[in-house]
């Protein structure tokens, strides 16, 4: 039983961390343009454009 | 997510802090990394553009630029880069708010979905231990832990449903969210009671899972919605906003469109849009009436000619005596017709709503009967209530909630890769029900722009023609210059170029007199210019070519038992000729009201017509039709009235859209049938009181997975008889 007192908070903490990370990513606009992100990696940086 | 790009808060380049405007353009043609780089670099190179950010998923570009830069210049720049573009909505505050609203709704759903997913995983972790045999104090602790996770999650993620259900109940109505909310609240309350009394079964896992699947369906559905069709305002914004009115003393004063009155005389400069209807009094000019008539060739307006608000003066200034302003203009009449015609479509009831209307009362009755039945059988209120709630949980409309949006999202994604943008889910449902097709001629069956026939021009003649054409702003010259440039012709050195109104452009090349002029005799029919080099003359014809795959598309439509026919505002002779070539019925000379009447007649006969058109004159017909498709080159208003927009030079996406829509509805019906089958199998178990939380969890997740897997079959675009490479 005592191991549960340790494991359950760990499980919840990891899940919670994932949730917080997802909220941050969404607020930061990480999911705004999924296709674009996949393609942008292919663009050569000629100069500093927008 | 299909959200518009968020402009990062980077400061604008350049020191001048002039007022900044944001313009969003939709560019359906971009689909690769090269396009992103080309568009972003190309736009930033323009004067006054601070930042351009492509959103490839939404096929949009967000541009931050000086207030003084006309969005039309951005569109022109994109055209030069090789992309069709349209401004999205108005750049006004109002449009921004609605867009932010739709975007915000999606984010709210995703957050609720993420929280529900988190809760589901953790509660399931604890539930599995209970199912594997934990009992006594361990089970109670696990139930309490589940409650501590599930209750906040339900309170947070369930708000989506609670708010909607409360709103419906306040207005004295009911919707799908009412049974969902009742089910969630009852099941949570019962589970809490079980936990508190040390009972064996708590349904926290089932409730949170139910919420998760329902939110997934809701989020998919929201992704389908996005683009609204409230665009009549955008139509009227194409009218000139102000006009130069000639005063009694001969001076010209700018007046707002709203202050104009019939009887005033306005001076319309080249490049200006007319702000009111009127009659030409002095001067003559070519007017671009494409907005009203859909006719690509500019019309000549001489004194006495009636001209309409929204037409664009292509070259010379004219004086126009106003006859109609504001609501009396022809364009306002079209807007009104479109608005009225669009009403019928907003009354369309979607398949998920139709299913919900039958399903929700049935489920409630069943649960109530189960409760009553067990009470009569003497089971006691606790057991009776447990069984009634098990019925509610097991019949939860998760699979039904996923059945429709999953199929529609997959199809829409597959079609957008074929250059066809479907506006929303109801559009797919209506497209599937189509049984006849009306096609506009100019711009729909044809490409809608005058292409110069440059085959007869050899190298030198082509080079001279290009040099002359570039010097003129006449629409035919612009078209010729574009065709020659596209063919790789380099302009010759031509000096002393003079453009003479109504005659043409003249110049000298190697000491020889050269000219691009109006043909001396009416030798060629249709629009045409004459290139003169010394004593030689060449006629250059212009024609509006039909789209390359018209025949194949019509064959495919016939194969689907649809009856394609032409319905056009062009002259009867032109339409009859085209109809004969294509061997389909055709009707010409139809004005917007007439087109609308024909559509309404067809509907009155119980038919479900599809309208395919591009011009503003098709607007009312597009809005009235059961479903409507417009090419990407269509006027803004037509694109807004249409359910789907296709890009490129091929007409085949029209047939593809109908075929894909029909296939989607087949899958949707299969999905609904699967969901019903599952209920038929599971409900007796629930009624008998045999459904434990474990059974509920397995049944719910498998039925949802089956429905989603079935929808994924739509990712492949259908092959059509008669359709060449799709």
């Amino acid at each position: 039983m005592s191991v549960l007192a340790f494991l359950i908070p760990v499980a919840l903490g990891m899940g919670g961390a994932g949730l917080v990370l997802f909220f941050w990513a969404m607020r930061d606009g990480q999911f705004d343009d999924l296709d674009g992100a996949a393609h942008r990696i292919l663009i050569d940086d000629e100069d500093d454009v927008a | 997510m299909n959200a518009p790009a968020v402009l990062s808060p980077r400061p604008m380049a350049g020191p001048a802090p002039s007022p900044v405007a944001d313009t969003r353009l939709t560019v359906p043609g971009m689909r690769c990394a090269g396009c992103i780089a080309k568009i972003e670099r190309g736009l930033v190179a323009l004067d006054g553009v601070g930042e351009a950010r492509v959103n490839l998923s939404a096929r949009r570009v967000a541009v931050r630029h000086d207030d003084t830069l006309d969005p039309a210049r951005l569109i022109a720049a994109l055209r030069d880069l090789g992309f069709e573009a349209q401004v999205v909505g108005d750049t006004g505050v109002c449009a921004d708010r609605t867009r932010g609203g739709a975007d915000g709704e999606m984010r709210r759903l995703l957050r609720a979905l993420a929280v529900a997913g988190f809760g589901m995983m953790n509660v399931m972790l604890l539930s599995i231990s209970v199912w594997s045999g934990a009992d006594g104090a361990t089970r109670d602790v696990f139930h309490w832990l589940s409650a501590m996770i599930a209750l906040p999650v339900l309170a947070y993620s369930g708000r989506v449903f609670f708010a909607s259900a409360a709103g419906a109940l306040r207005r004295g109505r009911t919707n799908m969210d009412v049974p969902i909310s009742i089910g969630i609240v009852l099941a949570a309350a019962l589970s809490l009671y079980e936990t508190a009394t040390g009972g064996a079964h708590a349904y926290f896992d089932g409730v949170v899972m139910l919420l998760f699947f329902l939110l997934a369906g809701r989020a998919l559905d929201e992704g389908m919605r996005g683009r609204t069709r409230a665009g009549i305002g955008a139509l009227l914004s194409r009218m000139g906003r102000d006009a130069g009115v000639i005063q009694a003393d001969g001076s010209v004063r700018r007046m707002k469109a709203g202050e104009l009155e019939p009887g005033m005389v306005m001076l319309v400069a080249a490049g200006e849009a007319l702000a009111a209807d009127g009659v030409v009094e002095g001067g003559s000019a070519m007017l671009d009436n494409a907005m009203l008539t859909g006719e690509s060739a500019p019309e000549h307006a001489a004194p006495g000619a009636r001209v309409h608000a929204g037409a664009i003066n292509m070259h010379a200034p004219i004086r126009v005596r106003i006859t109609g302003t504001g609501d009396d203009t022809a364009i306002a009449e079209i807007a009104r017709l479109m608005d009225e015609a669009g009403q019928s479509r907003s009354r369309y009831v979607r398949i998920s709503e139709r299913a919900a209307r039958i399903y929700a009362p049935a489920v409630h009755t069943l649960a109530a009967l189960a409760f009553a039945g067990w009470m009569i059988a003497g089971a006691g209120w606790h057991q009776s209530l447990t069984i009634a709630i098990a019925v509610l949980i097991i019949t939860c409309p998760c699979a039904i909630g996923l059945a429709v949006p999953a199929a529609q999202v997959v199809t829409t994604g597959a079609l957008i890769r074929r250059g066809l943008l479907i506006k929303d889910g109801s559009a797919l449902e209506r497209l599937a029900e189509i049984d006849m097709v009306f096609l506009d001629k100019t711009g729909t069956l044809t490409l809608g722009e005058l292409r110069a026939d440059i085959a007869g021009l050899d190298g030198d003649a082509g080079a001279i023609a290009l040099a002359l054409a570039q010097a003129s702003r006449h629409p035919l010259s612009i078209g010729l210059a574009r065709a020659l440039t596209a063919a790789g012709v380099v302009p010759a050195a031509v000096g002393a170029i003079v453009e003479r109104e109504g005659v043409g452009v003249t110049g000298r090349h190697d000491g020889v007199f050269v000219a691009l002029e109006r043909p001396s005799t009416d030798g060629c029919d249709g629009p045409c210019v004459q290139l003169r080099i010394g004593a030689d003359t060449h006629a250059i014809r212009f024609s509006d070519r039909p789209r390359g795959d018209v025949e194949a598309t019509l064959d495919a439509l016939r194969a689907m038992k649809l009856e394609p026919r032409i319905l056009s505002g062009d002259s009867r002779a032109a339409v009859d000729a085209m109809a004969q070539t294509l061997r389909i019925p055709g009707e010409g000379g139809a004005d917007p009201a007439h087109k609308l009447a024909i559509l309404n007649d067809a509907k009155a006969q119980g038919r479900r017509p599809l309208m395919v058109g591009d011009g503003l004159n098709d607007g009312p017909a597009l809005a009235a039709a059961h479903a409507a498709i417009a090419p990407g080159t269509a006027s803004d208003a037509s694109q807004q009235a249409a359910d789907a927009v296709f890009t490129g030079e091929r007409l085949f996406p029209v047939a593809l859209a109908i075929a894909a829509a029909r296939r989607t509805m087949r899958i949707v019906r299969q999905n609904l049938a699967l969901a019903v089958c599952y209920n038929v199998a599971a409900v007796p178990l629930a009624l008998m009181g045999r459904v434990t939380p474990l059974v509920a969890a397995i049944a719910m997740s498998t039925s949802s997975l089956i429905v989603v897997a079935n929808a994924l079959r739509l990712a492949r675009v259908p092959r059509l008889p008669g359709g060449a490479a799709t």
Side-chain angles (χ1 to χ4, degrees), chain B residues 605-685:
Chain B
Q605 287 166 25
R607 308 298 298 268
R608 296 190 162 132
L610 168 72
M611 178 76 204
V612 187
D614 68 321
L616 183 51
N617 59 337
D618 299 313
L622 288 169
H626 191 63
I629 303 182
T633 48
S635 63
D636 302 358
S638 303
Q639 292 201 22
Q640 254 145 4
D643 296 305
V645 174
F646 66 96
T647 55
E649 299 206 341
R650 290 153 44 81
L651 186 62
F652 205 74
V654 172
L656 196 65
I658 302 171
R662 288 183 171 181
R663 213 166 60 119
T664 308
M665 287 315 286
R666 250 197 323 276
I667 297 276
V668 163
R669 280 194 210 97
Q670 279 174 16
N671 274 347
L672 290 177
L674 280 172
V676 169
C677 283
Y678 144 79
N679 274 321
V680 168
V683 165
L685 280 181

Side-chain angles (χ1 to χ4, degrees), chain B residues 457-464 489-490:
Chain B
L457 298 177
D458 54 17
D460 228 19
I464 293 169
V489 175
V490 180

Side-chain angles (χ1 to χ4, degrees), chain B residues 523-538:
Chain B
C524 47
D525 48 336
C528 139
V529 295
Q530 177 173 280
L531 174 68
R532 181 188 295 277
I533 303 172
D536 297 341
T537 62
H538 305 262

Side-chain angles (χ1 to χ4, degrees), chain B residues 56-90:
Chain B
L56 192 66
S57 319
R59 304 276 195 267
R60 282 193 180 172
V61 188
V63 186
R64 175 161 293 184
H65 57 86
D66 283 356
D67 210 14
T68 49
L69 185 78
D70 186 357
R73 290 227 6 239
L74 299 174
I75 294 178
L78 283 167
R79 195 173 51 233
D80 292 343
L81 291 168
F83 297 96
E84 289 168 15
Q86 296 278 335
V87 173
V88 184
D90 242 327

Side-chain angles (χ1 to χ4, degrees), chain A residues 1 4 8 11-12 15-16 19 22-23 26-27 31-36 39-40 42-46 49-50, chain B residues 1 3 6 10 33 36-37 40-41 52-57 107 110-111 114-115 118 122 125 142 145 149:
Chain A
M1 276 303 280
L4 284 180
I8 288 174
L12 280 176
L19 194 65
F22 175 77
F23 273 40
M26 201 158 73
R27 180 161 311 170
F31 301 116
D32 283 347
D33 184 10
L34 297 173
D35 295 351
H39 282 92
R40 271 175 200 280
L42 300 172
I43 303 176
D44 294 326
D45 291 327
E46 281 175 9
V49 284
Chain B
M1 301 295 86
V6 176
R10 232 170 304 167
I36 300 179
E40 290 187 347
R41 287 174 187 153
R53 177 83 185 173
V54 167
N55 183 331
L56 192 66
S57 319
R107 278 160 188 265
L110 281 180
R111 269 198 286 270
V115 170
F118 161 80
N122 285 291
L125 201 71
F142 280 10
L145 278 172
I149 300 167

Side-chain angles (χ1 to χ4, degrees), chain B residues 10 53 120 278 289 354 420 433 451 611 670 677 694:
Chain B
R10 232 170 304 167
R53 177 83 185 173
M120 184 176 75
N289 254 327
R354 272 177 288 169
L420 187 81
E433 295 172 354
R451 298 278 172 110
M611 178 76 204
Q670 279 174 16
C677 283
L694 174 62

Side-chain angles (χ1 to χ4, degrees), chain B residues 351-445:
Chain B
I351 188 164
S352 50
E353 290 166 40
R354 272 177 288 169
R357 277 183 197 176
I358 309 169
Y359 194 76
V363 166
H364 278 173
T365 319
L366 202 61
L369 284 178
F371 180 73
W374 280 95
M375 282 298 275
I376 292 166
W381 74 268
H382 175 249
Q383 198 192 348
S384 305
L385 195 60
T386 312
I387 289 169
I389 288 172
V391 169
L392 276 183
I393 292 183
I394 207 83
T395 54
C396 107
C398 316
I400 290 192
L402 282 169
V404 182
Q408 290 176 344
V409 163
V410 174
T411 298
T412 312
L415 287 178
I416 205 166
R417 288 194 293 275
R418 305 284 172 155
L420 187 81
L421 182 79
I422 303 275
K423 295 251 188 83
D424 58 17
S426 109
L428 272 177
E429 291 172 26
R430 281 180 284 108
L431 272 171
E433 295 172 354
I434 289 308
D435 58 8
M436 65 194 301
V437 178
F438 288 102
L439 296 143
D440 179 40
K441 181 176 142 312
T442 315
T444 304
L445 289 175

Side-chain angles (χ1 to χ4, degrees), chain B residues 190-406:
Chain B
L190 177 84
S191 304
L192 199 60
Y193 175 81
E194 287 283 308
T195 306
T197 55
H201 297 310
Y203 286 92
F204 290 117
D205 48 12
V207 188
V208 180
M209 189 195 259
L210 185 150
L211 201 59
F212 177 77
F213 283 128
L214 287 173
L215 283 167
R218 202 55 66 94
L220 286 177
D221 204 34
E222 182 64 31
M224 284 297 298
R225 195 165 320 198
R227 302 154 280 260
T228 54
R229 62 179 73 252
I232 306 297
L235 166 58
L236 293 177
S237 73
R238 292 281 294 271
M239 261 163 67
R241 272 163 233 261
D242 53 7
V245 175
I246 300 178
Q247 307 290 305
D249 60 358
S251 67
V252 175
R253 194 163 73 86
R254 300 298 305 179
M255 290 173 79
K256 293 243 176 292
E259 298 164 3
L260 298 175
E261 275 171 31
M264 291 179 170
V265 177
M266 56 182 180
L267 186 69
V268 184
E272 199 177 348
L274 270 69
D277 285 5
V279 176
V280 178
E281 281 216 323
S284 70
M286 302 296 280
L287 291 185
D288 177 0
N289 254 327
M291 215 186 131
L292 274 168
T293 59
E295 180 64 65
S296 48
E299 281 168 39
H300 190 248
R306 297 193 58 85
V307 291
H308 296 289
I312 298 164
N313 183 357
M314 301 291 282
H315 69 303
I318 48 171
R319 287 200 311 279
V320 174
R321 180 168 293 278
I322 297 174
T323 55
T325 60
D327 291 343
D328 297 332
T329 54
I331 185 170
E333 174 70 9
I334 290 186
R336 201 178 54 71
L337 285 175
M338 279 179 71
D339 205 19
E340 283 172 11
Q343 303 286 325
S344 70
R345 198 178 287 169
S346 63
R347 286 197 294 269
Y348 180 81
V349 183
R350 298 188 50 185
I351 188 164
S352 50
E353 290 166 40
R354 272 177 288 169
R357 277 183 197 176
I358 309 169
Y359 194 76
V363 166
H364 278 173
T365 319
L366 202 61
L369 284 178
F371 180 73
W374 280 95
M375 282 298 275
I376 292 166
W381 74 268
H382 175 249
Q383 198 192 348
S384 305
L385 195 60
T386 312
I387 289 169
I389 288 172
V391 169
L392 276 183
I393 292 183
I394 207 83
T395 54
C396 107
C398 316
I400 290 192
L402 282 169
V404 182

